[in-house]
Every structure is written in structure tokens, then in C-alpha cells.
């Protein structure tokens, strides 16, 4: 069993007067979300319904600019799956449907290529859960937030608020919560509770670079978010805490951080 990260390079067919290419999709994250569930529905409608109803989605999506930009409506989608049973069926239906066209909004995009290894892109790869759990210990986190990242926080009276700041506790809490939900090698509940307490008390933001704030579209609304690189130091000398931070840093590559990762927010890579 292993998480996977892979890229889909989608090229639009020629359209419009004079053979002009369509513009890039206006809401790529929302359209990619719809495409993902359309593909799941072709595999198994029951599976699509179950994944859609899950409070924590076992995948992330992000729409990225092709490099270099082409200006011809091309799109790169990054998908990660946290349940091993999703990868092979999803790849199979992509290869079957991709030549006829994959719908992103009103435009059909042809599948040009799939990149699934780090040799093809640093944003692609796979690890077993055992490999992630054996990541080297670290005294902190070094993470690059590639798409806008925001945290959903609860306030008294069941009011939800959004925090678009690289708060060390919220970063670690997001990763720990996701690991506990998706990993078959989750921490014992007592240890997880102790880790969360340490994260709240002993994590400190020590460096940041290229920090930017912007509003990003996700689901049916727009959310504030941040991008950039941060370094977080942990003041605890506990080896168990350092092991946990190593695991969570490696896991961030697949899980992302924060809210709305299934709509393109929170794409995160360790560095």
C-alpha cells in the first residue's frame, strides 16, 4: 500500500476562428474536482459516491501552469491519492478516456502524457507507508507551500473562520490529523494527543521566504491563502517528537496542508 503523486499534462484541441486555442480554464481547481469525480463514476458510481461523501477526501488536486507557459489553454493537473486502491483504476480510466477528451469546464482537453516518477517531475512519486514512517527524524519542518494554503478554524458558537497564515501549530496539526485518518501506521491515540500538545507549545516559526498572500477559488467560494517557504523549529528534545516531525514532513508531499486540498489549495513539498 502506498500513496502516489502524478501529473496529467492536458492539451486543448484547436478551436475558434483561425484555429485559435481556448484560454486556460477560469476555475481550474473546481473543474479538476469535477473531472476527478466524473472519472471515478466511470470506474464505479458507488465508489464515487463514497469518496464524495467522505469527510476527509483520500486525494488532493492542484491545477498548475505549464512550464514554460504556452498560452494555448494547456493545463497540468497534479493528483495525489492516499488510498492505494484508487491509483490503478484511476490511471486506467484516464488512459481510456484521455484521447477522446477530458472535460474541464466547457472545454475538452486531450491527455498528452502522464508523469508518475520523480525522474519526470519533482512533484511526482510514490512511497510506501512504511517508507514514510521510517523518514529521518528532524528538529523541525522545512516546507514550501506551492499553492495558496489556508486553515479552517472553529470559533465559539460553531462559527468557522479561515486563517491564511503559516502558523506552525496549524501546519503540524493538519498533517498529524491527516496521517491519523489515512495511514495504516497511525500513531497510538495517546501518543497522537501528546504530540499535538507538544506542537502547540514547542513549535516556532524561524524563517520564511517569498511569503505571499492571495485569494484563491475553491469549491463555491474564494478563500485567502499564503504561498512561500517556511522553516519551523521544535524546542522539544524528545526523540519521539523528532521522529514524528520527520514522518509528517515526508507525508506533506502527498497529503498537502490545510483546507480545500481537493480543490487545489495547500500543495506542499518538503525541502
Amino acid at each position: 500500500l502506498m500513496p502516489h503523486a502524478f501529473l496529467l499534462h492536458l492539451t486543448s484541441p484547436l478551436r475558434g476562428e483561425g484555429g485559435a486555442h481556448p484560454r486556460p480554464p477560469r476555475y481550474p481547481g473546481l473543474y479538476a474536482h469535477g473531472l476527478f469525480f466524473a472519472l471515478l463514476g466511470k470506474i464505479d458510481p458507488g465508489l464515487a459516491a463514497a469518496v464524495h461523501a467522505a469527510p476527509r477526501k483520500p486525494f488532493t488536486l492542484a491545477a498548475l501552469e505549464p512550464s514554460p507557459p504556452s498560452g494555448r489553454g494547456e493545463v497540468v493537473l497534479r493528483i495525489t491519492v492516499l488510498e492505494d486502491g484508487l491509483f490503478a483504476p484511476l490511471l486506467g480510466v484516464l488512459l481510456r478516456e484521455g484521447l477522446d477528451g477530458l472535460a474541464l469546464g466547457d472545454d475538452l482537453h486531450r491527455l498528452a502524457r502522464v508523469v508518475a516518477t520523480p525522474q519526470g517531475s519533482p512533484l511526482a512519486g510514490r512511497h510506501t507507508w512504511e517508507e514514510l514512517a521510517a523518514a529521518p527524524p528532524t528538529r523541525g519542518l522545512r516546507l514550501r507551500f506551492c499553492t495558496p494554503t489556508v486553515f479552517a478554524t472553529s470559533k465559539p458558537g460553531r462559527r468557522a473562520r479561515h486563517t491564511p497564515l503559516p502558523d506552525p501549530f496549524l501546519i503540524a496539526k493538519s498533517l498529524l490529523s491527516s496521517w491519523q485518518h489515512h495511514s495504516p501506521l497511525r500513531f497510538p491515540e495517546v501518543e497522537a494527543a501528546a504530540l499535538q500538545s507538544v506542537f502547540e507549545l514547542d513549535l516556532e516559526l524561524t524563517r520564511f521566504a517569498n511569503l505571499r498572500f492571495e485569494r484563491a477559488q475553491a469549491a463555491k467560494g474564494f478563500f485567502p491563502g499564503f504561498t512561500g517557504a517556511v522553516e519551523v523549529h521544535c524546542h522539544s528534545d524528545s526523540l519521539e517528537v523528532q521522529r514524528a516531525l520527520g514522518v509528517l514532513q515526508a507525508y506533506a508531499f502527498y497529503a498537502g496542508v490545510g483546507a480545500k486540498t481537493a480543490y487545489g489549495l495547500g500543495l506542499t513539498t518538503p525541502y
Side-chain angles (χ1 to χ4, degrees), residues 144-231:
R144 180 171 288 108
F145 298 91
C146 305
T147 62
T149 303
V150 62
F151 301 96
T153 52
S154 298
K155 299 295 182 181
R158 302 180 66 180
R159 291 187 291 268
R161 297 291 182 266
H162 294 94
T163 302
L165 298 170
D167 181 291
F169 172 61
L170 294 179
I171 293 169
K173 180 183 176 183
S174 171
L175 290 168
L176 177 61
S177 179
S178 177
W179 177 269
Q180 290 298 97
H181 187 83
H182 294 293
S183 173
L185 302 177
R186 61 184 59 89
F187 299 104
E189 290 302 319
V190 172
E191 183 177 350
L195 285 171
Q196 184 159 309
S197 296
V198 171
F199 293 162
E200 188 169 15
L201 295 173
D202 287 336
L203 292 184
E204 181 181 15
L205 181 65
T206 54
R207 291 188 64 188
F208 59 85
N210 303 317
L211 204 59
R212 296 183 60 188
F213 299 90
E214 57 189 281
R215 293 181 67 82
Q217 193 276 338
K220 297 181 179 180
F222 286 80
F223 298 85
F226 68 91
T227 56
V230 304
E231 294 185 17

Side-chain angles (χ1 to χ4, degrees), residues 1-3 127-135 179 183-185 247:
L1 297 177
M2 63 185 69
H127 286 84
T128 66
W129 290 106
E130 289 77 12
E131 288 171 336
L132 293 175
W179 177 269
S183 173
L185 302 177
V247 171

Side-chain angles (χ1 to χ4, degrees), residues 27-107:
Y27 303 119
L30 180 63
Y31 296 159
H33 189 87
L35 171 62
F36 183 87
F37 279 101
L39 294 172
L40 281 189
K42 292 179 180 294
I43 300 170
D44 180 351
L47 173 64
V51 172
H52 191 272
R56 288 182 173 272
K57 303 296 187 281
F59 67 92
T60 75
L61 295 172
L64 309 173
E65 289 282 343
S67 181
S70 67
R72 297 182 299 173
E74 296 178 358
V75 180
V76 178
L77 298 183
R78 183 182 190 257
I79 301 175
T80 72
V81 290
L82 303 177
E83 290 186 3
D84 195 59
L86 287 177
F87 177 69
L90 186 61
L91 186 59
V93 74
L94 277 167
L95 295 176
R96 290 196 305 272
E97 302 286 334
L99 293 178
D100 294 330
L102 302 171
L104 282 179
D106 295 328
D107 291 318

